[in-house]
Amino acid sequence: IIEGAKGETLQKLKEESLNKIVSEATTAINNTRTVIELLQKGKIEEALNLLQKIETTLEQLEKQYKVSRIPVDITLVEYDGVEDINIAKKYAEKIKTDIQNNNFVDARFYLSLLRDEIDVTTTYMPLYMYTNAIKLALDYLKNGKVQSALLVLQSALGILEVEITIVPKPLIEASILIDYASQLY
């Protein structure tokens, strides 16, 4: 019982830490966008103060958690494929014909109709690179190079990494049915 309680407590602490990391990293990205807006409006002092807060936050994340990248956004997109096998066969034949005729645009369209999956898109902040970009922008801003700071900040937002995981829905459905059958058995 004690071991189980320890495990639950540790898991809860890990989840709370992860939520805190993700929240702070997301705030840093949103604040970076705000800094860009402030610089474009000529509010340099406000931008400088906010940029210093971002730098402090990112340095604390690096020291405290020692992670290389942090998930900052997750989106799920579900695609429902054709359920009628006869229609699916017709589409497959159409796709083969289109490919043989080098009509890849139409083939791609019909292929997308056959998709039966869930796409999980996760955006990550590469912490070390992002922190260095913020520091560089801060140095530029302290030296009065507003345009250079703007370019660095815009580039920092461009270094976010995107990872797409495709999960076939039939596999998920089969797994659920196996679990259900196991419970019934």
Side-chain angles (χ1 to χ4, degrees), residues 5 8 20 30 42 57 72 76 88 101 107 124 127 168 171:
E8 288 178 25
K20 183 180 178 191
N30 291 334
T57 300
V72 291
L76 299 170
N101 295 330
Y124 292 95
L127 190 56
L171 285 178

Side-chain angles (χ1 to χ4, degrees), residues 131-148:
T131 302
N132 284 338
I134 295 299
K135 288 178 182 180
L136 181 61
L138 195 54
D139 287 342
Y140 279 141
L141 208 52
K142 286 178 181 177
N143 293 321
K145 298 179 181 180
V146 177
Q147 288 303 317
S148 296

Side-chain angles (χ1 to χ4, degrees), residues 147-158:
Q147 288 303 317
S148 296
L150 266 170
L151 287 173
V152 169
L153 291 172
Q154 289 167 340
S155 297
L157 292 175

Side-chain angles (χ1 to χ4, degrees), residues 39-58:
L39 290 175
Q40 289 171 340
K41 293 177 182 176
K43 299 179 180 181
I44 296 170
E45 196 60 39
E46 287 180 55
L48 186 62
N49 291 335
L50 188 54
L51 203 53
Q52 287 171 333
K53 287 179 185 176
I54 295 169
E55 179 189 35
T56 304
T57 300
L58 293 176

Side-chain angles (χ1 to χ4, degrees), residues 22 57 66-67 74 79 85 101 117 127 134 142 151 181:
V22 171
T57 300
K66 299 184 185 345
V67 292
I74 296 175
Y79 296 96
I85 190 70
N101 295 330
E117 64 193 29
L127 190 56
I134 295 299
K142 286 178 181 177
L151 287 173

